[in-house]
Amino acid sequence: MKFIDIAANLTDGMYQGSYHGKSYHEPDFDDMLGRAFDAGLDRIIVTAGEAEMSRDALDMAAKNDRLFSTVGVHPTRCEAFEKFPAGPDSYLDLLLKIATEGMAGGKVVAVGECGLDYDRLQFCDKATQQKYFAAQFKLSRETKLPMFLHMRTACDDFIKILKENVGDFYGGVVHSFTGTPEEALALLEMENVYIGINGCSLKTEENLAALSVIPVERMMIETDCPYCEIRNSHASKKYVKTTFQAKDKKKHSKECLVKGRNEPCTITQILEVIGGHKGIDDLEGLSHQLWKNTMDLFFPASIPLSPQ
């Protein structure tokens, strides 16, 4: 089986051994990538949340044939537009410059992470989020890239802005979906929208009910690592078959995962949950369908990087 992880925060300091600003162990980034590729990861999309992070993600992707990146501003970071010394328009131009450079090298594959997050308004108010979510459709229009989208407790406003900018929207995925079944169906009414599933999408029975209404033809999978692992308390845990040895960060071993730090290799667990909950025994076929969905949106002109 092969996979594409559509959301990996690989620029996070945890993969350099730093947790909340404190160093606990030596960097193990290469070991983490090795586990990912051994698990069947064909491609990994390194996500970004503002301009500097977009640059870092692109620089990282340029060093490995299987890594790709996004360019955009996360809803909770949208104040970056207004804090930029040269102003919001210049900040948008900076994002476009990074995206254009990355596309020329075949590395930037999406605009984002952008959208609305009403769960964390303490970081950025609704009006600012809405203004700069809409503004980032200019990046999609100029680059013709699909969008990597974020939605938390904001479905009505989110869909409204998508529809208002439909002429500049070339498809996208609403990643880390945690909404209701009704919200999933509302998103799926837009033909060019996919839904991304990770551990945070699979916490509760209501989450699993939402999973039930999403066709696998409109689904993608992700880890959103180092976050969003499937935990023992999650309703989806009963479907997980594959386990990974993990140690506390204070007892770090390069051969093991770090407890509480998710990695791309755990994407196999997301596949198992989807198959188990939907009653799909052919995980090979399911894996291929999810891989194809991702290729169709983000890599339409690409050839496979690993054997079929």
Side-chain angles (χ1 to χ4, degrees):
M1 290 187 289
K2 61 183 176 182
F3 308 94
I4 301 173
D5 189 346
I6 66 164
N9 299 283
L10 299 188
T11 61
D12 194 284
M14 292 188 204
Y15 300 116
Q16 303 302 319
S18 178
Y19 300 74
H20 306 292
K22 183 178 179 181
S23 180
Y24 281 89
H25 58 78
E26 62 187 57
D28 60 352
F29 182 87
D30 291 341
D31 301 286
M32 173 272 296
L33 274 189
R35 284 189 286 271
F37 299 149
D38 287 345
L41 268 295
D42 183 56
R43 289 168 165 86
I44 300 172
I45 300 177
V46 183
T47 54
E50 39 78 17
E52 183 178 359
M53 193 183 301
S54 298
R55 166 58 62 189
D56 291 343
L58 175 56
D59 289 346
M60 178 178 287
K63 297 174 183 177
N64 191 294
D65 288 346
R66 298 192 191 187
L67 300 185
F68 299 84
S69 67
T70 71
V71 173
V73 180
H74 190 282
T76 63
R77 298 172 182 258
C78 278
E79 289 184 353
F81 282 95
E82 299 184 347
K83 291 180 178 179
F84 193 60
D89 290 343
S90 293
Y91 194 77
L92 195 63
D93 289 342
L94 174 60
L95 292 168
L96 181 58
K97 179 181 178 181
I98 297 169
T100 303
E101 177 187 334
M103 290 176 67
K107 285 298 180 179
V108 169
V109 296
V111 171
E113 176 176 356
C114 56
L116 300 175
D117 190 325
Y118 292 173
D119 275 348
R120 292 179 280 182
L121 294 174
Q122 69 271 29
F123 297 114
C124 188
D125 63 81
K126 286 185 181 181
T128 302
Q129 288 190 33
Q130 291 171 9
K131 179 178 180 179
Y132 294 111
F133 176 29
Q136 290 180 80
F137 284 87
K138 176 185 177 181
L139 301 178
S140 182
R141 179 176 71 249
E142 295 290 335
T143 63
K144 304 297 188 291
L145 287 172
M147 300 186 81
F148 182 78
L149 299 162
H150 177 105
M151 186 190 80
R152 285 285 186 275
T153 323
C155 190
D156 290 345
D157 287 344
F158 181 89
I159 291 177
K160 178 175 180 287
I161 292 173
L162 276 184
K163 289 183 176 179
E164 288 172 348
N165 293 276
V166 67
D168 297 328
F169 180 57
Y170 301 91
V173 58
V174 182
H175 104 104
S176 191
F177 180 76
T178 59
T180 65
E182 293 75 20
E183 289 172 340
L185 291 172
L187 290 169
L188 292 171
E189 288 180 3
M190 301 187 70
E191 294 181 0
N192 52 354
V193 171
Y194 293 82
I195 294 178
I197 301 297
N198 63 30
C200 289
S201 311
L202 304 168
K203 291 182 178 181
T204 67
E205 291 298 337
E206 184 180 38
N207 292 153
L208 293 177
L211 179 66
S212 296
V213 306
I214 305 170
V216 296
E217 293 81 8
R218 300 286 297 279
M219 189 184 296
M220 297 181 190
I221 55 176
E222 57 179 276
T223 60
D224 208 18
C225 62
Y227 317 108
C228 292
E229 64 183 342
I230 295 178
R231 299 181 179 180
N232 290 334
S233 59
H234 290 183
S236 58
K237 182 66 175 180
K238 59 181 175 285
Y239 297 118
V240 173
K241 305 297 183 184
T242 302
T243 59
F244 299 88
Q245 186 178 5
K247 292 186 177 182
D248 187 273
K249 58 183 177 291
K250 296 178 182 178
K251 300 177 181 178
H252 178 257
S253 168
K254 287 193 172 186
E255 289 72 39
C256 300
L257 277 66
V258 175
K259 287 184 178 178
R261 187 192 75 175
N262 200 10
E263 293 190 12
C265 64
T266 67
I267 202 164
T268 55
Q269 297 179 336
I270 307 300
L271 182 79
E272 289 167 353
V273 171
I274 295 169
H277 184 67
K278 286 183 170 290
I280 300 172
D281 295 327
D282 180 13
L283 294 187
E284 184 83 38
L286 175 60
S287 172
H288 180 75
Q289 179 65 60
L290 298 170
W291 177 87
K292 181 181 181 299
N293 298 343
T294 311
M295 291 294 293
D296 288 346
L297 183 66
F298 292 119
F299 306 97
S302 296
I303 59 173
L305 294 176
S306 59
Q308 293 287 334

